[in-house]
Amino acid sequence: MRYNTPPSEHVLAQQISLLYANAMPANLTVAAISILLSISLWDKLEHRLLIVWNLAMLLSVLLRTWLVVRHGLAEQRHPPVTWGRRYVLSTLLVGIAWGSLTPLMLTSDDIFVHFVIFLVIFGTISVAVPVLAARLPAFFAYVLPQSLFLVAVLVIQNTQWSLLLSIASLIYTGLIAATSRNMNRQIRRSIELETHNQSLIDDLSSEVSQRRAAQDALERHRTQLEDQVERRTRELTRTNESLEKQITIRKQAEKNLKHLAHHDTLTNLPNRLLLDARMEHAITHARRKQRRLALLFLDLDNFKLINDSLGHMTGDRLLQQVTQRLLSITREDDTIARLGGDEFVLLMEEVRDTADIISLAQKILDKLNERFEINGQSIFVGCSIGISLYPEDGDSAETLLKNADAAMYRTKDEGRNSYNFYTREMTASAYDRITLEGSLRRAIEKDELTVYYQPQKSLATGRYVGLEALVRWHHPEQGILPPGRFLPVAETTGLIVPLGNWVLKSACRQMVEWQRTGLPIDTVSVNLAGKQIRRDDLVESIASALDETGCRPEWLELEVTEGFIMSELHASIDALRQLRDMGVKLAIDDFGTGYSSLSYLKKLPINRLKIDRSFVQDLADDNDDAAIVKAIVSLGHSLQLEIVAEGVETPYQENYLRQLGCEMGQGYLYSQPLPSAQIEVLVRNHNQRHSAQSQPTVRPRA
């Protein structure tokens, strides 16, 4: 191939496209280098000259940038030759701007200035090879002004070294030009080869298209023959399908009738007829295998009130949602049936241990105690459960169902929202409840209760800044009882109110003592039970406790669970606002488990959100929990609330929460709940040690 002939129009267009494709990065680089060079030589050269040169450089770069933008928007408006000429002209201006840098060497005797300018010019000339080699006129328009300016300045200096450098500059420019010319040849050759290959591909494609057309003609003839056969086949097939459809419709109708006879139309659960059949089959199987089975009789609490107040359509929607929740927590082998109204029966086969039944009953209670959303309304229902066992409580379906029903009514009588096993005597759980109730009344009077404290750590400073008060019971016979053992009894019997008041006063009194002795703790947190908040004298009782103990309101933080505050929002918000106006801090505990409405949440007079421990425990393994925690922190900060994470047990959890911006952490990573004397030592030692570590070390002078 000969390269001294003008390139074809296609080759020229490709060369121009390469120039404009490389132009924008080159422009940004030139602008950046010119600015950096001006900054570095600011103290070496006259400021006015640097500013004038920099403005000239930036104007030339802006001109070329404008040309690149115009080319991208209206490339087809002018032929490639025109765009090439414009680019060469803009590049010449940039080259002249660079070349005008060399006369600045004559204004300074500083060797550093000469060295820097010399290197910059050499660098810009060398960079022109990959950027402008696609089109030699653009290359020479950029390189020659710089080289000539540089050589002229070196000759003017008229020293031995400057003359040698001028000769070296000319030689270097020649080598760069030769390299650029070789690269231009390679680029042109690549474009021409690509064009030639594309021509061959087009020829082959044309031949393939011709052969394909001939083949398609043959295929059309064959297809016509096949269509005739297929039409006859379809006629026979349609006749057969019509007969099969009629048979299928009849079978489906029979199946639907059978399903309707054995299932409830509202919930699609088995009805009493199918339940009896499955129970008899299960009893026969259990008798043969000598195994046990359990029958759970469920009745929704206050369902009649919901039906009467919100309408039967809402009641039907509620029953359907209850069905879905029951199906979500039961095994595939279990049978759930609806007897009618709000009564459900769960047949549990293959029972290994009574603990499995208790676990399932508790899961049902927990699931049905969660809020239902129907037609934009929040509905809360409970559930009373009665349990009978085969063979202990009967050997027939009728007997087991009757005894489970009796056990359910016992649950209703005892306060609802619980479960009972059928037995002629008190069950172990009921006996324990009554025993604990009597002992708890005496415990409050005989000072058997004590308050433990768990530290709350500031994740930003590393110091312990708060404590949560947690009640413990030193039972004379059973030892230390955790709250989960006796607080449900206190809630049921109403003892939670005097118990809560006792804990509040004890914590306030202890906080006053700690403030007197200088323990560096800002607040003590105390949990408020639902029955305490429902009382009309809540604000008065809190104020009385503060006055009696001498505790300042700002030292006290009251925690309310999210589930309760959302269910009692309108009744509780006024009381909580009065407490906040007194100076008492307020926090929502177990946040993330109560389905808070954001429109209500922003109205609450709260200071903190406490992330429930269930979301913190699996941060390292559960992406859903990590996303929930991140969302809660972001939500709290958007509402200008502090965030406290409960259940922090590992350094990974602490670091993750700190990175999210969570303000405080609480959990076994720092300490388990401790008596007041031990927690005081823990807080003092930790904060002193942290203060010593955070103070800078002062070295003595030599």
Side-chain angles (χ1 to χ4, degrees), residues 20 52 110 152 317 457 502:
Y20 279 93
V52 171
D110 193 330
R317 292 281 303 278
K457 181 180 180 180
W502 181 89

Side-chain angles (χ1 to χ4, degrees), residues 374-392:
I374 300 176
N375 298 329
Q377 293 181 330
S378 298
I379 298 176
F380 292 87
V381 295
C383 178
S384 299
I385 304 175
I387 306 170
S388 61
L389 303 175
Y390 171 86
E392 294 94 324

Side-chain angles (χ1 to χ4, degrees), residues 569 573 577 580 598-606:
L569 180 66
I573 192 169
R577 184 174 288 113
R580 186 193 62 180
L598 297 183
S599 62
Y600 287 158
L601 186 61
K602 66 180 182 180
K603 299 177 183 178
L604 295 176
I606 57 176

Side-chain angles (χ1 to χ4, degrees), residues 30-186:
V30 168
I33 292 175
S34 64
I35 293 172
L36 292 175
L37 184 62
S38 298
I39 294 172
S40 62
L41 298 179
W42 186 255
D43 295 331
K44 306 293 185 178
L45 295 174
E46 185 177 346
H47 295 174
R48 182 173 56 81
L49 294 176
L50 278 176
I51 292 174
V52 171
W53 173 79
N54 209 337
L55 288 175
M57 175 61 70
L58 292 178
L59 286 174
S60 64
V61 170
L62 286 175
L63 176 63
R64 192 163 64 171
T65 302
W66 175 81
L67 182 62
V68 172
V69 174
R70 290 286 299 166
H71 177 266
L73 296 176
E75 180 180 359
Q76 304 300 325
R77 189 171 296 177
H78 301 287
V81 175
T82 302
W83 288 114
R85 290 171 181 170
R86 292 177 178 179
Y87 191 88
V88 170
L89 178 59
S90 65
T91 304
L92 176 62
L93 294 177
V94 177
I96 293 173
W98 274 121
S100 64
L101 176 64
T102 55
L104 298 183
M105 296 168 61
L106 300 175
T107 64
S108 173
D109 295 330
D110 193 330
I111 298 301
F112 173 76
V113 173
H114 293 199
F115 178 73
V116 170
I117 293 176
F118 191 82
L119 285 183
V120 168
I121 297 300
F122 265 55
T124 56
I125 291 174
S126 64
V127 169
V129 174
V131 177
L132 302 173
R135 188 71 179 149
L136 288 180
F139 171 81
F140 287 113
Y142 182 77
V143 170
L144 289 179
Q146 300 179 59
S147 179
L148 294 177
F149 268 103
L150 179 61
V151 171
V153 170
L154 292 174
V155 170
I156 291 173
Q157 289 180 341
N158 197 24
T159 65
Q160 180 181 1
W161 287 106
S162 64
L163 293 176
L164 290 175
L165 286 175
S166 65
I167 296 172
S169 299
L170 291 174
I171 295 173
Y172 178 73
T173 303
L175 292 174
I176 292 295
T179 303
S180 180
R181 186 169 183 273
N182 290 334
M183 184 175 291
N184 177 267
R185 288 182 176 181
Q186 294 298 325

